[in-house]
Amino acid sequence: MGVISVLKEIPGLLVVTWALLGLAIYAGYRQNWQMRSVAADGGYLSGLGFKSEKPAGIFRWLTTVDHKDIGVLYIVFAAGAALWGGTDAMMIRTELFTAGTDVWSAETYNALFTTHGLTMLFFFVTPAFTGLANYFVPILVGADDMSFPRINAIAFWLLPPAFFLVRGGLITEVMGKMLAAVGVRWELLFSLRPPTLGWTLYAPRSIIVSNPQVDLVLLGLHLSGLATIMASVNIIVTIFTERDENITWANLDIFSWTLLTTSGIVLFAFPVLGSALLMLVADRNFGTTFFAVEGGGPILWQHLFWFFGHPEVYILVLPAFGLVSLILPKFAGRKLFGFKFIVYSTLAIGVLSFGVWAHHMFATGMDPRLRASFMAVSLAIAIPSAVKTFNWMATLWGGNVRWATPQIFCVGGIMTFIIGGVTGVFLASIPVDLVLHDTYYVVGHFHFIVMGVITFAAFAASYYWFPLLTGRMFNRRLGRIHGYLSIVGVFVAFLPMILIGYGGLPRRSASYPGAFEALQQLSSFGAVIIGIGALIWLTNLVQSYRLGPIVTDADVWNLRETGQFSREWQWFEEQLEDRTKFRR
Amino acid sequence: MNRPLSAIAGGATGIAVMSLLLLFLEVETRSNLAIFEAVARFAGMPGNVTFGFVLFVLAGVFAWPLAFMALEEYIPGGPDPATRGMVLAAVLWVVFVLTGRGDLSGGLLAIYVIFTLLAHLCYGFLLGAVYGRLTSEGPVESERYDPSDVSQ
């Protein structure tokens, strides 16, 4: 009887999607994860096991100052944070599956979207791209290592404590529950509750809320800002001073160019966030009035926050643009069209990004003349973004496009960026923004970019460089399945949000009128598709790392025939030659 | 390392990660899922969370890994022991869902079903992977990758 009632209560959609996941993984096993007998050159080293004098095992990872190891640490940390933040997202979509507040309480729901935002922006995207920068920038510019290897290590090791502070309420509660499981109950550990303020931490609510966890969140964010600044200084100095003699500004690769610009933005944006956070901490604990009505007022927080917050958007997206510009031409068989203009547009975005912050505040009643000037700059920043898009299209034009997994993600990323960008242009316009402000339209708009092009570029890079990082090839069929599932998933999940926003539904509410239920359910279904794709990605990379076919020829992607066998692959070829010397 | 010890090491790794995952899920969902009550029901000690959990850990560290070692040849999904471990864990998960779900329904049930399955698959994967790593003679070797092969 129990069996039948379970079958009745699990939604049919879930059964279908899980069956899909099972089939996809089965296809992978049929494909190439069959373990073969030990080959003649058994003992071949994988990419993470370079022959070196490093200590073995866990000590290697705790003590390393090698930029490649730190890059891997960053990437693994970012992947873990992304999966945790993704869990938050799935729980948000579960609550929104029905109109009422019937799965989680409203407080839990508020905590979920807060921690989802903080986790994804500060602990997934930024570390993911910093990790790629750490691994590849020294190789691409011909340096032996980053300029300041130890600062590099410190910058990484500040992140885990920062993450624990931001999500502290959960972690202390985990400890409390562990103690409770053996019969000890320590109330202090249960006193921190996850923050419910939203990632923007708007005053005055962020000052009034008495939850002590909010102070830990502020300190954690401050710490993560320090880590990000250190990493950026390192990237800037490395690119400026450690370049090989034959690397000039003219032939510096596009990925390093975007990271240089990104790091420049970080240098100006993150200190503002740091200062604002400390002022907020002081307001909460020491009776200052920076953001109180009798002091600077809540609007001051918004100005300071968005002076950091909008450049932050470009800190997240520029490395993704760099990856698309780097990877797309390799699978189009042509050189990147308009290289110079892509660099100029990157620099232009870097400068303009500081002039658009107040478009987040159109609805606060600012002076209309000021508002109009911010509208003008916000519309203007669409131009360099469009320059990139058209250059990518021109690169594909007449090219010999190969639909390898990284290319699927690049082209999918361009598609989602066009939707995300055009919806953004509308939001930059004051009259439209006044109607759509704080509705689901905004959520749909920025998810097309953060889940679309940013995450897609990260996925593309994870596949493109997987052979270089691990010495093994991933399962290409599963990779393609992941690519197509992700594109479909993003459109199914976030197009309904645009429509819901046109309907006028405000964001950040656990319950909503029943009229929106069908669209919300469609959106949740899209989220499940994205989630399935992410699990396929994880399975594929973990299993391919263990059992994938071994790479012996560095030209994994047939880049030599189009003259694009770039520096990191040449470096990989040398590594492979060195490694084969140790073959038995 | 000898086989029973390898299996126990795999089980210990698996159960440590799985307990942590379940604990995080429990806390993340503000105890709405009552995972540890479910664990207690699964272990045959309904209502007694502490002893239920101890039994759960003992089973995860000793009983299932040793059973896995004995049955390995007969479990589908080989020759990779990690896949076989996941198959075993999926079977265990079916029992876990049936015994442990209490009176959950709707969205909560969906979350419970999906995340406990993931936790079980993690357990099975780690059990098999660690066991395979400790018992095998050398590094796992597989075919060479041929860039000119575009059949995949």
Side-chain angles (χ1 to χ4, degrees):
Chain A
M1 190 205 121
V3 181
I4 294 166
S5 64
V6 166
L7 288 179
K8 272 185 195 156
E9 286 173 25
I10 300 175
L13 278 181
L14 280 172
V15 176
V16 173
T17 42
W18 281 94
L20 274 176
L21 175 67
L23 276 177
I25 291 174
Y26 179 69
Y29 275 96
R30 290 303 296 264
Q31 194 69 30
N32 66 1
W33 286 337
Q34 298 294 327
M35 269 212 269
R36 302 293 153 95
S37 54
V38 174
D41 66 339
Y44 198 89
L45 295 166
S46 80
L48 297 178
F50 290 107
K51 197 90 176 171
S52 72
E53 293 163 3
K54 290 172 193 165
I58 188 111
F59 276 105
R60 168 183 171 191
W61 297 102
L62 291 177
T63 58
T64 183
V65 290
D66 179 346
H67 70 102
K68 297 189 291 297
D69 287 351
I70 291 172
V72 170
L73 284 173
Y74 264 113
I75 292 167
V76 170
F77 173 84
L83 292 173
W84 194 356
T87 306
D88 291 334
M90 299 315 282
M91 287 162 58
I92 293 172
R93 290 317 314 175
T94 309
E95 171 59 57
L96 294 173
F97 198 78
T98 48
T101 314
D102 43 11
V103 182
W104 320 116
S105 69
E107 194 202 346
T108 304
Y109 178 82
N110 293 349
L112 282 171
F113 68 68
T114 306
T115 52
H116 170 68
L118 293 172
T119 304
M120 288 306 199
L121 296 181
F122 291 94
F123 299 102
F124 156 48
V125 180
T126 316
F129 291 141
T130 313
L132 290 175
N134 266 302
Y135 201 105
F136 290 104
V137 163
I139 296 172
L140 288 168
V141 303
D144 294 335
D145 201 321
M146 300 295 276
S147 283
F148 310 114
R150 289 184 188 83
I151 289 186
N152 205 22
I154 293 170
F156 171 75
W157 285 109
L158 285 183
L159 278 179
F163 194 31
F164 287 159
L165 280 172
V166 170
R167 304 213 62 164
L170 288 180
I171 298 189
T172 51
E173 203 179 319
V174 165
M175 284 154 50
K177 288 238 166 189
M178 280 164 99
L179 287 179
V182 291
V184 184
R185 201 172 159 83
W186 192 6
E187 285 305 327
L188 183 67
L189 291 176
F190 293 94
S191 64
L192 302 173
R193 303 182 66 77
T196 54
L197 302 166
W199 85 283
T200 50
L201 306 166
Y202 274 176
R205 197 170 130 68
S206 54
I207 302 172
I208 297 165
V209 168
S210 62
N211 180 2
Q213 169 57 22
V214 173
D215 293 308
L216 294 188
V217 169
L218 299 177
L219 293 174
L221 289 178
H222 191 72
L223 201 58
S224 94
L226 293 180
T228 310
I229 293 169
M230 284 188 205
S232 300
V233 169
N234 221 341
I235 291 169
I236 293 173
V237 177
T238 304
I239 295 178
F240 264 89
T241 64
E242 301 279 312
R243 271 177 296 139
D244 199 51
E245 278 168 6
N246 54 14
I247 306 274
T248 62
W249 290 116
N251 66 7
L252 182 65
D253 67 285
I254 194 72
F255 183 56
S256 303
W257 264 117
T258 48
L259 279 162
L260 183 65
T261 317
T262 307
S263 306
I265 304 178
V266 167
L267 222 48
F268 290 98
F270 267 85
V272 179
L273 174 72
S275 315
L277 287 172
L278 290 184
M279 287 189 246
L280 192 54
V281 170
D283 267 12
R284 283 177 57 79
N285 298 292
F286 306 117
T288 55
T289 56
F290 293 110
F291 306 121
V293 179
E294 61 272 28
I299 287 289
L300 178 63
W301 170 262
Q302 293 198 24
H303 278 298
L304 290 176
F305 181 83
W306 288 115
F307 186 83
F308 146 80
H310 204 87
E312 161 74 1
V313 174
Y314 293 96
I315 292 167
L316 304 177
V317 83
L318 281 181
F321 288 166
L323 287 169
V324 173
S325 304
L326 184 84
I327 297 171
L328 187 86
K330 314 273 179 182
F331 298 93
R334 296 183 64 206
K335 283 217 168 70
L336 181 63
F337 182 90
F339 181 96
K340 245 191 234 176
F341 290 90
I342 295 217
V343 173
Y344 291 149
S345 66
T346 306
L347 297 173
I349 289 175
V351 174
L352 288 175
S353 67
F354 285 96
V356 298
W357 80 87
H359 73 215
H360 295 267
M361 300 154 63
F362 284 163
T364 56
M366 299 158 54
D367 187 310
R369 289 162 295 186
L370 196 58
R371 216 163 49 176
S373 64
F374 275 102
M375 168 173 157
V377 186
S378 301
L379 290 172
I381 206 167
I383 295 166
S385 313
V387 165
K388 284 176 186 296
T389 313
F390 285 112
N391 277 333
W392 291 329
M393 290 181 191
T395 308
L396 292 171
W397 190 275
N400 176 23
V401 179
R402 283 182 291 151
W403 294 105
T405 312
Q407 183 76 338
I408 292 170
F409 275 107
C410 284
V411 174
I414 297 174
M415 283 158 53
T416 55
F417 176 58
I418 291 173
I419 310 275
V422 170
T423 49
V425 171
F426 281 102
L427 282 180
S429 155
I430 296 165
V432 181
D433 183 74
L434 289 180
V435 177
L436 295 176
H437 180 77
D438 237 352
T439 64
Y440 269 84
Y441 181 93
V442 180
V443 183
H445 150 68
F446 71 74
H447 274 88
F448 264 105
I449 295 176
V450 287
M451 181 62 225
V453 66
I454 294 177
T455 313
F456 279 14
F459 278 139
S462 76
Y463 286 114
Y464 177 62
W465 280 324
F466 185 80
L468 194 155
L469 279 161
T470 64
R472 288 177 188 266
M473 192 60 188
F474 59 88
N475 184 305
R476 288 188 282 173
R477 178 181 291 169
L478 274 192
R480 280 200 290 267
I481 291 173
H482 173 211
Y484 293 127
L485 275 183
S486 300
I487 294 173
V488 171
V490 165
F491 278 92
V492 175
F494 302 121
L495 267 184
M497 289 191 186
I498 303 272
L499 299 177
I500 295 169
Y502 278 133
L505 184 66
R507 60 197 275 212
R508 292 182 170 167
S509 174
S511 59
Y512 54 86
F516 293 102
E517 201 169 62
L519 283 171
Q520 291 278 24
Q521 291 184 348
L522 189 62
S523 175
S524 293
F525 180 54
V528 173
I529 296 178
I530 297 173
I532 301 273
L535 291 176
I536 291 176
W537 171 79
L538 188 68
T539 316
N540 190 356
L541 294 202
V542 170
Q543 282 298 65
S544 299
Y545 172 63
R546 296 176 64 231
L547 308 169
I550 280 190
V551 173
T552 47
D553 176 1
D555 192 11
V556 191
W557 299 114
N558 283 319
L559 300 176
R560 246 190 258 275
E561 62 187 46
T562 53
Q564 303 196 71
F565 194 65
S566 46
R567 291 186 65 94
E568 80 272 29
W569 297 105
Q570 293 167 18
W571 172 87
F572 183 45
E573 190 167 44
E574 288 163 26
Q575 295 290 324
L576 277 182
E577 278 167 15
D578 285 351
R579 269 188 266 169
T580 45
K581 288 179 194 154
F582 295 108
R583 273 200 246 173
R584 275 167 272 159
Chain B
M1 216 195 235
N2 72 36
R3 283 177 181 273
L5 271 182
S6 305
I8 289 169
T13 318
I15 208 75
V17 172
M18 184 183 176
S19 310
L20 209 62
L21 283 178
L22 292 181
L23 207 57
F24 265 78
L25 182 62
E26 171 79 349
V27 175
E28 174 112 321
T29 57
R30 319 304 301 159
S31 306
N32 273 320
L33 295 185
I35 288 279
F36 288 95
E37 282 72 14
V39 166
R41 280 193 293 271
F42 175 65
M45 301 284 286
N48 193 335
V49 175
T50 308
F51 281 101
F53 188 68
V54 169
L55 271 182
F56 168 81
V57 170
L58 290 179
V61 174
F62 298 104
W64 302 124
L66 295 175
F68 174 73
M69 183 191 73
L71 296 173
E72 198 201 339
E73 296 283 300
Y74 308 102
I75 300 176
D80 177 13
T83 326
R84 285 177 159 157
M86 285 162 82
V87 172
L88 176 75
V91 174
L92 296 176
W93 166 76
V94 172
V95 184
F96 188 89
V97 163
L98 293 184
T99 57
R101 71 191 176 81
D103 44 10
L104 299 176
S105 64
L108 274 179
L109 182 64
I111 288 275
Y112 171 81
V113 164
I114 291 171
F115 285 101
T116 54
L117 175 59
L118 289 178
H120 275 83
L121 291 180
C122 256
Y123 168 73
F125 180 86
L126 287 169
L127 164 64
V130 171
Y131 171 77
R133 175 102 181 198
L134 293 178
T135 50
S136 72
E137 278 80 42
V140 173
E141 189 53 83
S142 67
E143 65 194 306
R144 297 284 179 80
Y145 173 66
D146 176 12
S148 60
D149 167 27
V150 287
S151 62
Q152 299 190 29

